[in-house]
Amino acid sequence: MRFDQHTVVLLVRPDDAPDLPQDALDRLQDAHLAHQAGLVEQGAVLAAGPFLGGDDERIRGIAVLSVDPQMARELYANDPAVRAGRLQAQVLSWMVPEGNVRFEQVAVPRSMLEAATGD
């Protein structure tokens, strides 16, 4: 059997994440979304999004990438939320039977306002 290999990034809130005022958190979230959208536009990110209502609230989101794990580490080291210490990127390789998972190109939000309005 043949396999496709993807790189997965789990975005995790560290125990020592800095406390920031709400306006700073909002700006940081918008910067994170803009960074993520840029990675989608570059073709590096195939799919990404937040987790809701999980058993471990530290795990905040996931991204599936078309690049190797080392490149994923480099890309997420530049994520504003990672640089600010609000998130950590845990990188894994994920193997699935060839053709089992397909990704479509769709628009992703560049800000919380876009996410809220659907534009």
Side-chain angles (χ1 to χ4, degrees):
M1 178 177 281
R2 297 169 102 157
F3 289 87
D4 290 330
Q5 184 172 340
H6 302 285
T7 301
V8 173
V9 173
L10 294 177
L11 294 171
V12 179
R13 174 79 30 85
D15 293 333
D16 62 348
D19 289 325
L20 299 172
Q22 189 59 52
D23 63 326
L25 289 172
D26 291 344
R27 285 191 307 274
L28 189 58
Q29 183 65 15
D30 281 349
H32 163 71
L33 290 175
H35 178 264
Q36 189 99 292
L39 296 179
V40 169
E41 291 166 1
Q42 293 173 22
V45 169
L46 301 171
F51 287 121
L52 303 173
D55 291 337
D56 186 344
E57 291 189 18
R58 293 173 303 160
I59 303 173
R60 308 302 295 166
I62 187 172
V64 180
L65 290 88
S66 63
V67 299
D68 65 70
Q70 184 56 39
M71 177 58 71
R73 285 182 189 90
E74 292 172 19
L75 294 172
Y76 276 87
N78 290 318
D79 185 302
V82 172
R83 286 196 329 255
R86 291 290 295 174
L87 295 174
Q88 292 177 333
Q90 295 182 355
V91 179
L92 308 110
S93 291
W94 179 42
M95 293 179 61
V96 295
E98 187 176 56
N100 185 246
V101 178
R102 300 194 195 290
F103 299 94
E104 300 291 329
Q105 287 187 317
V106 298
V108 296
R110 297 189 72 80
S111 68
M112 289 303 293
L113 180 60
E114 276 187 25
T117 62
D119 293 336

